[in-house]
Amino acid sequence: MTTPSVPAARTQPDNPFAYLCYVPRLPPTAYALLLHLLHQQQPGGLVRATHEELAAGLALDRGVISRAMPHLVAARLVYVVGRGRLQLHPMVALYATPQDRYAALSALAREDRLDVGHFEDEYEKRLALRQAEKERRQAARRRLAPARGHLRRVH
């Protein structure tokens, strides 16, 4: 195991919310969603909630949640595990014991840490890549979709 280049006190603070200083500039709804997820999490950072349940908990439309979630994913604060299952980044997750927290943070690869690199620039790059992929998929669907308004004659 390699020794981290930053002091241990800075890399393993007792307060998991200390790592929120590495959250990039997000839209306001993404911040609200992040705070709601932090409140709903189980020990270890697992959140079991669908977009509908999150929307109801925040008194928002489901579409608002769907537009806010990619920002949290691009910021690496949330990982989508499956339908209705979200995982908070280990550095912002709460744990049952300090030992569990230490084990989770020690298992993180250096490049997966929130406090390594230029988190703001990396977030913007990941968000731009996601948007480009989304536009590429939409263009592919438009090419494959039958043209509307061109009905064939029925005999």
Side-chain angles (χ1 to χ4, degrees):
M1 184 172 153
T2 60
T3 307
S5 61
V6 287
R10 189 169 148 222
T11 61
Q12 308 279 337
D14 293 332
N15 180 0
F17 302 119
Y19 289 113
L20 291 178
C21 66
Y22 298 102
V23 174
R25 289 180 300 268
L26 299 168
T29 53
Y31 282 120
L33 179 56
L34 176 61
L35 293 175
H36 186 69
L37 292 172
L38 290 170
H39 176 71
Q40 297 295 320
Q41 70 177 302
Q42 298 172 359
L46 182 66
V47 178
R48 294 180 188 269
T50 62
H51 282 208
E52 292 84 8
E53 293 166 338
L54 293 171
L58 288 167
L60 297 170
D61 291 331
R62 184 194 179 287
V64 173
I65 300 300
S66 295
R67 287 187 297 277
M69 188 63 71
H71 291 276
L72 297 178
V73 171
R76 297 182 312 156
L77 296 167
V78 175
Y79 303 99
V80 178
V81 180
R83 179 166 164 61
R85 296 182 67 221
L86 306 167
Q87 178 67 47
L88 293 172
H89 191 284
M91 292 178 77
V92 296
L94 295 177
Y95 294 90
T97 66
Q99 294 81 11
D100 292 344
R101 178 171 177 67
Y102 182 80
L105 295 181
S106 296
L108 273 177
R110 181 169 170 76
E111 61 272 7
D112 292 335
R113 295 184 61 85
L114 296 175
D115 57 351
V116 173
H118 302 285
F119 65 94
E120 188 80 36
D121 294 338
E122 292 168 6
Y123 157 73
E124 290 174 4
K125 287 177 189 173
R126 283 189 294 273
L127 197 58
L129 285 172
R130 183 195 180 282
Q131 184 61 33
E133 176 63 20
K134 181 179 174 182
E135 290 170 2
R136 186 194 64 74
R137 284 193 312 264
Q138 287 175 344
R141 276 197 300 269
R142 281 192 300 269
R143 282 194 308 268
L144 296 175
R148 293 184 182 183
H150 300 287
L151 299 176
R152 285 187 254 166
R153 187 179 220 177
V154 178
H155 296 278

